[in-house]
Amino acid sequence: MLDMEAIKNFSIDKSDWKKVKFGDVVFEPKESVKDPVAEGIKHVVGLEHITSEDIHLRRSAGIEESTTFTKKFSQRDVLFGRRRAYLKKAAKANFEGICSGDITVMRAVEELLIPELLPFIVNNDRFFDYAVQHSAGGLSPRVKFKDLSNFELSLPVKTKQKDLLQLLNSLDSLIENNKLLTSQLKKNLITIREKNLCSSDFEKVRLAHVLDNIIAGKSLNGENIPVSNEEKGVLKVSAVGAEGFVCNENKRLINQKEYIPKHSVKAGDVLITRANTTELVGRVCLVSKSYPNLMLSDKTLKLNFLSEKVDKVYISEVLNSLLCRNQIEAFATGTGGAMKNISQQEIRSLKVPMPPVKMQQEYGRNITSIRNTIQQSVLYGEKLFQIRSDLINKVF
């Protein structure tokens, strides 16, 4: 277990550290490439490939895709999103490539700064705040390296930077290993859903045979503003999550008189979206807790099943499987644009594998256990991330 109190009270002796300007220990290389293919460049990076508050560059486009980018970066450089710096995009490259003009390439002066420390220095709140304050422009503000070069920070001598790097790398390794664990757990869940739950050995029946009834939400003209715990609201259709949860933030305010208790969202409800984009229509989730002040929108349906025939955890997973997704996408219709619809009748006609209820319950317990472990892993990862952020902010 992490000692949160010790971390909170962590301090470091900086009495022998030297105050420097960012531009004294970091420079902008300004290298360019005229013919990326001829020079063997394989990676193209735009702002969309850098994830906010992630020190690692994990994505890129292939050089075979058309690009006008010519700015070159090398392995160990930091790519800083100079446009809209408040998005906090700054990542270390583990490969060379070319990038957008909206990205500033940063490289450590190796005589003064260990290059691996640079991504940690840049990913600190004070640096991002400084970048935002020195950005210029209206809708799409940008910051120049010459302005960032005046940012002041304290650094130990290079021989002591290794100890600092070791500490930061240890935390980063914990974060990365936890991400791998979470990813593997999610893959395990998908494997169970697609192979075990949707086994060809199980009899497939129409959903109508195990349904008690379907409750449709109500069309309301709500305001798109946050809802407090005391106010009445309606869940947007996007509240039905891809991984079986309801996002409490996706809601809008409604008039008190419009509120209908029977349309409220309760723990154990199985929800399905009847209208949205192709990707989101027919999305299913099992609600984990009650929201007595929130109603379903007219684009979301509540599926009530016959308890003696169906385990809710099991059926929620099956309805999110490729087997059912393919049926839903075949049924979904629309009149132009990306919006699609699926009717109650079509939902009732979905064919789902239906093993004996005791077997469903066994699957349900296994799935719940994995989901709980995933949730714990995600929370642990968030805690580690916060610890690293706090440490970076204290050190630099």
Side-chain angles (χ1 to χ4, degrees):
M1 291 293 290
L2 292 167
D3 188 342
M4 298 301 295
E5 194 62 30
I7 293 167
K8 181 180 178 182
N9 297 321
F10 170 83
S11 63
I12 187 168
D13 181 10
K14 300 169 70 173
S15 59
D16 60 345
W17 289 29
K18 183 181 179 181
K19 183 168 284 189
V20 298
K21 287 189 175 182
F22 188 73
D24 294 336
V25 295
V26 180
F27 68 99
E28 183 182 12
K30 291 189 175 181
E31 298 169 355
S32 61
V33 175
K34 290 184 178 180
D35 189 343
V37 175
E39 294 196 29
I41 300 293
K42 297 180 180 180
H43 299 278
V44 180
V45 176
L47 277 177
E48 69 276 12
H49 297 122
I50 305 175
T51 303
S52 295
E53 299 185 277
D54 189 346
I55 70 169
H56 299 282
L57 182 61
R58 304 178 192 275
R59 297 176 294 147
S60 66
I63 198 65
E64 66 276 0
E65 300 179 34
S66 177
T67 181
T68 59
F69 299 164
T70 60
K71 185 183 292 189
K72 183 181 179 181
F73 64 88
S74 299
Q75 190 175 3
R76 298 202 301 175
D77 287 345
V78 168
L79 306 189
F80 179 83
R82 73 183 194 93
R83 179 165 66 92
R84 296 176 179 166
Y86 57 82
L87 294 175
K88 298 184 176 181
K89 293 190 172 188
K92 178 182 69 175
N94 290 319
F95 48 81
E96 68 171 9
I98 54 176
C99 63
S100 163
D102 284 326
I103 294 173
T104 296
V105 179
M106 298 177 174
R107 189 174 297 170
V109 178
E110 294 196 38
E111 294 79 10
L112 302 173
L113 176 66
I114 296 176
E116 286 77 14
L117 269 182
L118 181 55
F120 296 109
I121 292 173
V122 175
N123 276 278
N124 106 50
D125 291 340
R126 203 164 60 85
F127 187 84
F128 282 121
D129 289 344
Y130 187 91
V132 171
Q133 291 167 10
H134 290 80
S135 296
L139 294 175
S140 192
R142 291 169 170 83
V143 65
K144 296 179 179 179
F145 182 81
K146 70 176 183 178
D147 294 318
L148 294 174
S149 65
N150 291 318
F151 175 78
E152 291 188 339
L153 70 152
S154 295
L155 280 177
V157 294
K158 193 175 178 185
T159 53
K160 291 187 177 180
Q161 289 177 21
K162 292 180 180 179
D163 296 332
L164 184 57
L165 179 61
Q166 185 177 6
L167 175 61
L168 291 168
N169 276 341
S170 296
L171 269 173
D172 188 57
S173 294
L174 285 173
I175 292 170
E176 293 303 301
N177 289 337
N178 189 71
K179 283 182 179 179
L180 289 174
L181 172 62
T182 305
S183 176
Q184 187 57 55
L185 287 168
K186 290 180 178 179
K187 288 178 181 177
N188 291 347
L189 190 62
I190 292 172
T191 299
I192 290 173
R193 183 174 67 206
E194 302 302 333
K195 293 187 177 180
N196 298 74
L197 273 60
C198 297
S199 169
S200 58
D201 297 335
F202 299 146
E203 178 188 6
K204 293 180 176 60
V205 303
R206 294 188 182 277
L207 202 63
H209 293 164
V210 294
L211 270 171
D212 185 7
N213 58 56
I214 297 178
I215 296 177
K218 185 175 175 61
S219 179
L220 298 165
N221 296 317
E223 299 178 65
N224 289 310
I225 58 176
V227 183
S228 72
N229 291 334
E230 295 76 27
E231 293 172 318
K232 308 296 184 183
V234 60
L235 282 167
K236 297 179 185 177
V237 65
S238 55
V240 179
E243 296 182 359
F245 60 90
V246 171
C247 180
N248 195 27
E249 286 72 30
N250 283 324
K251 56 196 178 187
R252 61 179 186 266
L253 191 67
I254 59 173
N255 189 297
Q256 182 84 12
K257 295 179 180 178
E258 294 183 290
Y259 182 73
I260 303 172
K262 77 172 184 177
H263 288 155
S264 66
V265 183
K266 300 181 181 65
D269 284 347
V270 179
L271 307 181
I272 184 169
T273 58
R274 69 158 187 82
N276 211 313
T277 61
T278 302
E279 180 187 353
L280 298 180
V281 68
R283 179 176 280 183
V284 176
C285 78
L286 177 62
V287 182
S288 59
K289 68 175 184 178
S290 296
Y291 301 91
N293 290 338
L294 296 179
M295 290 173 52
L296 299 175
S297 75
D298 62 320
K299 295 182 176 63
T300 308
L301 307 174
K302 184 187 300 187
L303 305 179
N304 290 327
F305 292 95
L306 299 170
S307 59
E308 68 275 12
K309 293 185 178 181
V310 175
D311 178 81
K312 289 182 179 180
V313 177
Y314 168 83
I315 200 67
S316 298
E317 289 294 328
V318 167
L319 289 171
N320 272 316
S321 69
L322 286 174
L323 174 69
C324 289
R325 286 300 315 162
N326 290 337
Q327 295 178 67
I328 288 167
E329 290 177 12
F331 284 138
T333 58
T335 54
M339 187 62 69
K340 299 290 183 179
N341 295 272
I342 184 170
S343 69
Q344 288 194 34
Q345 181 180 352
E346 288 163 339
I347 291 172
R348 291 176 183 275
S349 68
L350 292 173
K351 289 186 176 181
V352 295
M354 197 55 57
V357 70
K358 286 187 177 181
M359 187 177 291
Q360 293 179 42
Q361 291 167 348
E362 172 105 15
Y363 280 129
R365 285 190 290 271
N366 291 338
I367 290 165
T368 299
S369 177
I370 294 174
R371 284 203 177 278
N372 288 340
T373 305
I374 290 173
Q375 184 179 23
Q376 291 169 9
S377 182
V378 169
L379 291 174
Y380 181 64
E382 291 172 353
K383 185 180 290 185
L384 288 172
F385 180 86
Q386 188 59 54
I387 290 169
R388 187 184 67 185
S389 296
D390 291 344
L391 180 61
I392 289 171
N393 290 336
K394 278 188 176 184
V395 170
F396 300 116

